[in-house]
Amino acid sequence: MSWSLPIFRIAGIQLRIHITFLLLIGWLAVGYYAQGGSAMALGRILFVLLLFLCVVLHEFGHAIAAKNFGINTPDITLLPIGGVARLERMPDEPRQELIIALAGPLVNVVIALALFAVVGWRGFAAQATMGGPDLPAQLLVINVVLVLFNLLPAFPMDGGRVLRALLATRLSYARATQIAASIGQGCAFIFGFIGLFGNPLLLFIALFVYMGASQEAALAQLKDISRSFPVSSAMVREFRSLPQDATLQEAVDALLATSQHDFPVIDESGNVAGVLTRHDLIAALRKHDPQIRVAEVMRRDIPTVTTGTRFEEAFRIMQECNCPVVPVLDGMKRLVGLLTPENVTELMMVHSAMPKRRAA
Ligand code: ZN
């Protein structure tokens, strides 16, 4: 389930807006309207939109740096605390991560310098200490804040990535992530604590920082596993498949006779033709006669992976297609296993329960 709406596509990158970001804009608009009428509300919303334009440019900074290392960015999502550029894969070398992480804040440094040329030192100092309605000066101050906030050495801020990249040159990737994520969670508690005394926006930020830090730690654990295991170690090897001409009734029999929910469907030549999920089977039984063929109701758009596919890649494919199961093929394109989210979770549980053996 995704809580973000696609806005537009540029240079192959889909820009998305998280629902909570729209709620924030609405909340601000109502608040400012109540304070100072529609002129004030419009002015403030214009400022917020320009602020988020700076954030989008910041994310494009990351995306362009990543592209330089051959890493694509499928989408950029705007959240109330800023943007998130989702890279297709994590950079392998700490040096690449360092450059990609710094490229975002660098964009805000450039914007700030350009605005500084317009506003000057006096305008900046006046805005920073007293505030005021001068739009360029406001944007200058906020870009400086963006640079400082993003360079906090904690996940999920860019500074956390910089810290991890520096730590990863001496420590293991997982250990480096753990340290940066713990600092991130610590920052979240501090933001939350300060937020309790007056600034609800900080509570919001604290929540996102905490979730981001936890997610980053989980991703690093997955990456750690993906380095030590191929897809074949996490796939289900004992499963039932259905021939293409099996009836829905036969599929029901297989569903009830096994603990399996989703069944790969095989054509006459032995290749995977599609997948019949429990959800689709039940939906089909409502509409159709149980004697129709499974080939008529199965999903055909399910991607497959091979036993040689990197685990990280397979996991990404599974997440992107939102499939309950991904068939695993061998070198001869024969079906040899199934990759399911439950199995991946089990592998992670087993893996994290055996830290000593992993180190050995
Ligand atoms: Zn960034």
Side-chain angles (χ1 to χ4, degrees):
M1 188 163 47
S2 157
W3 288 92
S4 53
L5 312 168
I7 303 300
F8 59 81
R9 244 185 130 74
I10 181 167
I13 302 172
Q14 177 73 54
L15 189 69
R16 310 177 73 91
I17 288 195
H18 199 260
I19 298 277
T20 49
F21 178 69
L22 294 177
L23 287 177
L24 176 75
I25 296 281
W27 180 63
L28 288 175
V30 170
Y32 287 125
Y33 184 78
Q35 261 181 45
S38 54
M40 178 169 180
L42 276 178
R44 298 308 297 170
I45 296 300
L46 178 66
F47 167 69
V48 172
L49 292 179
L50 284 174
L51 158 61
F52 273 88
L53 177 66
C54 295
V55 171
V56 170
L57 291 174
H58 168 117
E59 297 306 326
F60 270 95
H62 291 306
I64 291 166
K67 186 90 193 166
N68 228 6
F69 298 117
I71 302 172
N72 287 320
T73 307
D75 55 45
I76 289 176
T77 305
L78 280 183
L79 298 169
I81 60 154
V84 178
R86 188 170 60 88
L87 302 185
E88 160 191 75
R89 62 181 172 85
M90 305 283 249
D92 297 320
E93 283 175 46
R95 193 183 60 90
Q96 295 183 351
E97 175 161 44
L98 186 73
I99 293 173
I100 296 172
L102 287 175
L106 186 67
V107 170
N108 298 110
V109 170
V110 171
I111 297 174
L113 286 176
L115 287 167
F116 190 76
V118 176
V119 172
W121 180 249
R122 231 183 248 175
F124 173 69
Q127 185 70 39
T129 51
M130 291 176 289
D134 184 15
L135 197 59
Q138 283 178 342
L139 285 173
L140 169 56
V141 171
I142 205 72
N143 271 285
V144 171
V145 171
L146 277 178
V147 172
L148 296 179
F149 178 74
N150 274 297
L151 288 183
L152 284 178
F155 271 125
M157 276 74 75
D158 295 327
R161 262 162 242 290
V162 172
L163 177 66
R164 170 168 69 188
L166 294 177
L167 290 175
T169 56
R170 322 197 78 194
L171 304 169
S172 79
Y173 184 82
R175 183 83 190 105
T177 303
Q178 212 177 16
I179 292 173
S182 303
I183 298 176
Q185 288 170 337
C187 284
F189 278 115
I190 295 172
F191 291 154
F193 191 71
I194 301 172
L196 279 179
F197 299 98
N199 194 340
L201 198 61
L202 265 181
L203 277 178
F204 219 44
I205 293 177
L207 185 70
F208 272 95
V209 168
Y210 189 86
M211 288 186 341
S214 310
Q215 200 175 17
E216 198 67 46
L219 265 181
Q221 198 197 6
L222 184 69
K223 180 163 177 166
D224 206 31
I225 293 175
S226 72
R227 283 188 170 168
S228 12
F229 296 101
V231 158
S232 54
S233 66
M235 69 188 187
V236 181
R237 289 167 188 277
E238 288 172 20
F239 59 91
R240 182 90 69 90
S241 53
L242 296 168
Q244 197 168 223
D245 56 1
T247 61
L248 291 189
Q249 184 55 52
E250 287 169 300
V252 170
D253 292 342
L255 180 72
L256 297 178
T258 65
S259 61
Q260 204 173 326
H261 299 155
D262 312 293
F263 298 87
V265 179
I266 307 297
D267 66 16
E268 305 87 56
S269 45
N271 296 321
V272 178
V275 166
L276 181 69
T277 66
R278 180 172 64 180
H279 178 269
D280 291 345
L281 173 58
I282 302 297
L285 286 171
R286 289 211 184 90
K287 284 188 277 183
H288 304 288
D289 186 88
Q291 294 310 315
I292 71 160
R293 309 284 163 199
V294 293
E296 289 175 50
V297 298
M298 70 186 181
R299 275 180 71 169
R300 293 173 186 273
D301 57 347
I302 299 254
T304 57
V305 296
T306 66
T307 45
T309 307
R310 279 166 59 203
F311 189 80
E312 194 181 9
E313 172 77 2
F315 188 68
R316 188 183 61 76
I317 290 171
M318 189 160 67
Q319 278 187 316
E320 273 184 9
C321 73
N322 205 6
C323 317
V325 60
V326 173
V328 183
L329 311 181
D330 67 7
M332 312 289 288
K333 301 247 173 228
R334 275 182 318 234
L335 178 67
V336 288
L338 299 176
L339 199 61
T340 67
E342 296 86 58
N343 241 48
V344 172
T345 311
E346 280 168 5
L347 180 75
M348 286 176 76
M349 282 160 66
V350 170
H351 187 68
S352 59
M354 303 192 300
K356 291 199 185 90
R357 269 192 67 186
R358 183 178 44 181

